[in-house]
């Protein structure tokens, strides 16, 4: 489990199901984006490639931990994630994904770990 979970650290404790569903969905997209970027890093030959890949792997692990936490909270609230959720505009979704990635990268390099 991540030391500073986005779901509990960045947001106040999410007791509202809609907020938690939103976090779950955005974290799912964020995880896919980071994994895709990590694969791209692996293909490129650069001297700092191992550092970037390791950092991306740590970020993936922390996002997966937060996603598992969000899923556990949703289950404890008896919320079925198979329901249709309204989509947000692509530019807003991209901004949310970038915010999450920025949070995890900042957390990765902060001294409070």
């Amino acid at each position: 489990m991540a030391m500073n979970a986005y779901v509990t650290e960045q947001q106040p404790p999410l007791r509202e199901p809609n907020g938690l569903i939103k976090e779950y969905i955005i974290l799912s997209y964020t995880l896919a984006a980071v994994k895709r970027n990590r694969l791209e890093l692996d293909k490129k030959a650069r001297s700092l490639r191992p550092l970037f890949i390791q950092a991306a792997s740590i970020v993936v692990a922390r996002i997966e931990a937060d996603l598992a936490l969000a899923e556990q909270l949703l289950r404890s609230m008896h919320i079925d994630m198979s329901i249709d959720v309204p989509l947000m505009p692509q530019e807003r979704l991209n901004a949310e994904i970038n915010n999450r990635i920025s949070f995890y990268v900042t957390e990765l390099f902060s001294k409070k770990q």
Side-chain angles (χ1 to χ4, degrees):
M1 182 87 37
M3 295 280 288
N4 295 316
Y6 187 88
V7 172
T8 56
E9 174 89 2
Q10 185 70 11
Q11 303 289 328
L14 295 171
R15 301 193 193 286
E16 184 180 324
N18 290 339
L20 190 55
I21 291 169
K22 176 185 169 191
E23 288 305 314
Y24 181 83
I25 292 168
I26 291 171
L27 284 171
S28 296
Y29 281 112
T30 303
L31 180 61
V34 173
K35 283 183 174 181
R36 185 174 52 250
N37 288 339
R38 184 178 60 183
L39 288 175
E40 287 298 315
L41 285 169
D42 198 30
K43 293 177 184 176
K44 297 180 180 178
R46 294 186 178 153
S47 60
L48 293 176
R49 181 177 66 176
L51 172 66
F52 296 145
I53 292 171
Q54 183 63 31
S57 296
I58 293 169
V59 169
V60 164
R62 290 182 179 184
I63 294 172
E64 287 175 338
D66 283 353
L67 197 55
L69 174 62
E71 185 175 4
Q72 180 183 9
L73 291 171
L74 286 168
R75 282 188 183 147
S76 72
M77 298 168 127
H78 304 290
I79 296 174
D80 181 13
M81 284 305 297
S82 64
I83 58 170
D84 288 332
V85 179
L87 298 175
M88 65 176 61
Q90 187 64 43
E91 53 278 348
R92 184 166 170 223
L93 178 61
N94 289 341
E96 293 283 352
I97 290 169
N98 287 333
N99 286 341
R100 298 314 184 279
I101 292 172
S102 176
F103 171 82
Y104 288 103
V105 169
T106 300
E107 178 193 44
L108 179 63
F109 292 105
S110 72
K111 292 185 178 185
K112 65 178 185 174
Q113 292 185 21

